[in-house]
Amino acid sequence: GEPTSAEMAHSSAWVEEHLGPEASRPPFSFVYGEKASADLLPTWERAQTTTELDRRRTQRTVRYSDADTGMEVRCEVVAYTDYPGVEWTVYFSNQGDADTLILEDVYALDMSLTADERPRFIVHHARGSMMVTNDFEPLSQWMRRNSHLKIFSNGMSSSEALPFFNI
């Protein structure tokens, strides 16, 4: 059915909390030069632009720049006005003249979701290709209290798991 006003308000509040101008910690994480992004990003220059794509979608682009090494992290966020959803993609680029430090442990979503004893969240994702009969099979997993889920590929974008999911 149609989303409720409470669902729309919750989605909008989540976007502001995690991806808005006053966001203290984005929903993604990485390690750069053996330092966690949670420690690095507050020290990097941050810039944000907002563009209305159409009457249903607004795009926010958040850039974090390390003046010392030239590393730039760009997060492109699309929020919807007619559905309580948000999607984002994180890009890394070297804007400097020298090689950057090692970038590793990149997580598009790295956060805890709070639920009571009943499972409240379902993660929908898909298998990648391992050249077997169930390649690209859609999967759904209920997230119970204290459960963890890692969706990752080993080297190629679609090996083992596709790099897309929704909660």
Side-chain angles (χ1 to χ4, degrees), residues 60-111:
R60 234 177 251 216
T61 301
V62 183
R63 293 179 193 274
Y64 298 91
S65 302
D66 178 18
D68 293 336
T69 67
M71 173 60 84
E72 179 182 88
V73 179
R74 184 177 87 244
C75 181
E76 293 189 6
V77 182
V78 176
Y80 296 86
T81 59
D82 62 345
Y83 191 78
V86 60
E87 55 191 54
W88 64 90
T89 306
V90 182
Y91 299 91
F92 297 87
S93 62
N94 180 356
Q95 300 297 315
D97 295 329
D99 290 346
T100 62
L101 303 173
I102 300 293
L103 175 67
E104 56 191 332
D105 297 333
V106 176
Y107 294 100
L109 177 65
D110 183 7
M111 64 186 314

